Amino acid sequence: TKNSMLRAAAAEVATKHARLATSALHGVLAVNKPPGISSAGLLDYLKRNIGLDSSCFPFSEHFAREQKLRAPGTKLKRPHSMSQLRVGHGGTLDVEASGVLLIGINRGCKHLDKFLKGGKTYLANNCLGVTTDSRDAEGHILNLSNTKHVTHEMLDGVLPQFVGSIQQTPPVFSAIKMGGKRLYEYARKGQSAPEEIKARTVLVDQITVTHFENPGHETSGRRVALPRGVSEYFAQGRY
């Protein structure tokens, strides 16, 4: 109808004005990335929607689409973005991780390196005795070990060997580039990396166990209250 055509034209004009306005935006944002979406996926959403108002694409729908993109064997790709906005992120958070992701907008991208020189603090919820092919909660379980004998004291005795300047070999499920591809691209196809993955020097200042629980045997420390959304995420059988 004529009215619907007018509304569509008005929406298109409003979107173009919003896109023009974003070209004047410059700065760095601290975005709280939720678990379940990649850093690149979140960046894609921001690039498409910064500066928009009522025409902003619902994040829940974008989140669901990103999960489909990551499904094994999928051939789907992100649709091309017409946005002229330049965006970038400082550092990368794993898909299953939640936390602060620094986003640069236009000239703000030049300042992202300034924020990568400081230390970082992580809060992790770990399950002992489980081995996966990706070395995290996303992979397929390869082995389950009996951990009934493990105590808080035993754990405290082992952790010091992971503190200080240590050598750490990245898993094949990582974003490191090798042979023109990300390592996880080889892993998802069941292929081996084209060359040996070299260990890297990692500096760990401190590791503290705030809460330890071995069901039916020992419970110690103080359980850290996770944000509601994060606690619900871990309650879905993740670890």
Side-chain angles (χ1 to χ4, degrees):
T1 63
K2 184 176 181 180
N3 287 338
S4 62
M5 292 176 64
L6 288 173
R7 285 195 296 270
E12 183 177 354
V13 170
T15 300
K16 288 183 178 180
H17 280 297
R19 296 301 188 197
L20 289 173
T22 58
S23 63
L25 292 176
H26 306 280
V28 177
L29 302 177
V31 179
N32 187 15
K33 187 190 87 66
I37 186 172
S38 67
S39 298
L42 181 59
L43 195 71
D44 180 67
Y45 177 79
L46 294 173
K47 182 174 183 177
R48 295 173 186 276
N49 293 280
I50 287 179
L52 300 183
D53 189 6
S54 58
S55 58
C56 183
F57 190 72
F59 181 73
S60 58
E61 294 182 26
H62 179 83
F63 187 91
R65 186 177 67 187
E66 283 293 316
Q67 292 194 316
K68 290 181 180 179
L69 289 173
R70 299 186 66 257
T74 183
K75 295 182 179 180
L76 298 175
K77 294 183 178 180
R78 294 190 185 99
H80 178 69
S81 173
M82 299 299 292
S83 174
Q84 299 300 312
L85 189 71
R86 183 189 176 196
V87 294
H89 58 87
T92 301
L93 289 175
D94 289 345
V95 173
E96 304 291 9
S98 65
V100 176
L101 186 67
L102 293 175
I103 305 294
I105 302 175
N106 291 326
R107 289 200 293 267
C109 294
K110 297 180 180 179
H111 300 284
L112 288 174
D113 287 344
K114 299 177 182 178
F115 299 92
L116 300 179
K117 298 177 181 179
K120 301 177 183 178
T121 301
Y122 297 91
L123 175 64
N125 187 1
N126 300 284
C127 179
L128 301 178
V130 182
T131 303
T132 67
D133 57 357
S134 61
R135 301 187 195 176
D136 62 18
E138 282 194 280
H140 297 290
I141 296 177
L142 301 177
N143 184 57
L144 293 173
S145 303
N146 188 347
T147 58
K148 292 182 179 180
H149 65 287
V150 178
T151 64
H152 192 164
E153 184 179 3
M154 291 173 60
L155 195 58
D156 282 340
V158 171
L159 289 178
Q161 63 182 285
F162 299 101
V163 176
S165 181
I166 63 174
Q167 293 295 305
Q168 189 179 80
T169 303
V172 68
F173 284 88
S174 70
I176 296 174
K177 276 193 173 183
M178 186 179 290
K181 294 182 180 180
R182 304 285 185 183
L183 284 179
Y184 62 72
E185 294 183 58
Y186 296 107
R188 288 176 181 173
K189 294 180 181 179
Q191 302 173 349
S192 300
E195 56 186 86
E196 182 184 359
I197 304 175
K198 297 181 179 179
R200 298 185 171 194
T201 301
V202 178
L203 179 61
V204 180
D205 294 320
Q206 182 182 16
I207 301 179
T208 303
V209 179
T210 59
H211 177 81
F212 176 84
E213 183 174 344
N214 194 337
H217 298 274
E218 178 189 358
T219 299
S220 59
R222 177 178 61 86
R223 182 181 293 275
V224 176
L226 297 172
R228 181 178 177 182
V230 178
S231 60
E232 290 176 351
Y233 177 80
F234 280 117
Q236 297 175 17
R238 296 177 172 88
Y239 51 88

